[in-house]
Amino acid sequence: MKKPQWVIDKEKGKRASAAETVWLFGLHAVRDALVNPKREKLRLVVTRNALDKLADAVAEAGIEPEMSDPRKFAAPIDPQSVHQGAALEVKSLDWGSLPDVALGEGVGAPRLVLLDRVTDPHNVGAILRSAEVFGARAVIAPRHHSAPETGALAKTASGALERQPYLRVRNLADTILELQKMGYIVLGLAGEAEQSIETALEGRRDRPVALVLGAEGPGLRERTREVCDALVRIDFASDFGSLNVSNAAAVALYAARG
């Protein structure tokens, strides 16, 4: 019996994903990846100066470094990248399924951050740092129209990418509905919302909460708004306040803490 086209496409997508690799760069990002036992490490390119600084991590990883001239850095990354003489080719991390992270064990009531078409890797990297600091279980984004795992994202995350789950899902609205079935309160951030995060969670801070943030400018898509339990805002001291999405994520996580 012939396989349906959607099954063939899904299998192709899985094979392509398995074959993809990512080049991480910068001393901090490379060091954290080297000492992460869950990270599959393929190729390390370093200058002599960088190797001296990473010697302990390289030894722990058991990987043979490739030496490179700092003036002609051999790793296939953007020449404008601030690589600090270190680049590491890796496979993307597998954080498991949505239930694995949403229902997994942890301290306190779980918090998640969902991103609706946030494509800037620097913003996502900063959000991963905030998510780690405030104890979020995961940052979740759609596979398409979102920032993939890249060297720029990892460098901005300053090591958080190795520890903070970053899940890419097929459909964000479907994911929200799935989280609601798991008992999550899903709050979408919108500047025009009538209630604050604190008001929406009054008497319910012991519940699992997912915060949904949209891209700067367009904000949340209509379908995303429809499936959220409520739209909420961050209260500002004046009518002229605004935050970029990474700062908004940090403030929202603090406001929603359990």
Side-chain angles (χ1 to χ4, degrees), residues 97-114 135-140 167 174-188 200-201 204-212 227-230 253 256:
S97 67
L98 179 65
D100 288 338
V101 297
L103 300 176
E105 293 183 2
V107 178
R111 299 294 185 258
L112 298 173
V113 177
L114 277 61
R137 298 287 177 88
V139 175
I140 300 171
L167 267 63
D174 289 348
T175 298
I176 290 172
L177 295 173
E178 191 174 347
L179 288 171
Q180 288 166 334
K181 290 177 181 177
M182 296 178 195
Y184 271 79
I185 300 169
V186 182
L187 304 177
L201 291 179
R204 303 195 293 173
R205 289 185 177 271
D206 59 338
R207 292 276 304 278
V209 177
L211 300 166
V212 192
V227 294
C228 286
D229 291 306
L253 281 167

Side-chain angles (χ1 to χ4, degrees), residues 216 234-236 240-252:
E216 292 177 43
I234 294 172
D235 282 333
F236 297 128
F240 302 103
S242 65
L243 295 170
N244 73 12
V245 66
S246 61
N247 289 332
V251 174

Side-chain angles (χ1 to χ4, degrees), residues 23-36 41 44-46 54 57-58 83 86-88 154 162:
W23 277 95
L24 308 180
F25 56 82
L27 291 173
H28 199 157
V30 169
R31 174 183 291 279
D32 283 341
L34 284 170
V35 299
N36 182 1
K41 298 163 275 284
L44 174 65
V45 179
V46 289
L54 295 171
V58 173
H83 54 71
L88 178 67
E162 301 303 317

Side-chain angles (χ1 to χ4, degrees), residues 40-203:
E40 185 177 350
K41 298 163 275 284
L42 305 174
R43 183 184 172 197
L44 174 65
V45 179
V46 289
T47 62
R48 171 53 61 188
N49 184 49
L51 181 59
D52 290 343
K53 296 176 180 177
L54 295 171
D56 55 339
V58 173
E60 184 175 336
I63 188 171
E64 186 68 30
E66 299 176 28
M67 305 308 299
S68 179
D69 186 325
R71 293 164 296 183
K72 295 181 180 179
F73 197 58
I77 60 176
D78 187 334
Q80 304 304 314
S81 300
V82 185
H83 54 71
Q84 300 174 291
L88 178 67
E89 185 182 19
V90 298
K91 289 286 187 74
S92 293
L93 287 164
D94 180 6
W95 292 104
S97 67
L98 179 65
D100 288 338
V101 297
L103 300 176
E105 293 183 2
V107 178
R111 299 294 185 258
L112 298 173
V113 177
L114 277 61
L115 304 178
D116 190 8
R117 297 196 173 194
V118 178
T119 58
D120 186 333
H122 300 95
N123 276 332
V124 176
I127 290 167
L128 285 166
R129 289 184 70 178
S130 296
E132 181 179 34
V133 167
F134 291 110
R137 298 287 177 88
V139 175
I140 300 171
R143 291 196 189 106
H144 303 292
H145 306 293
S146 67
E149 188 174 329
T150 63
L153 187 154
K155 194 169 192 303
T156 308
S158 193
L161 182 62
E162 301 303 317
R163 301 176 295 272
Q164 179 64 45
Y166 180 42
L167 267 63
R168 310 285 298 289
V169 296
R170 186 170 178 272
N171 183 286
L172 196 66
D174 289 348
T175 298
I176 290 172
L177 295 173
E178 191 174 347
L179 288 171
Q180 288 166 334
K181 290 177 181 177
M182 296 178 195
Y184 271 79
I185 300 169
V186 182
L187 304 177
L189 270 73
E192 74 282 6
E194 295 182 358
Q195 63 178 332
S196 66
I197 297 171
E198 291 86 350
T199 301
L201 291 179
E202 190 172 344

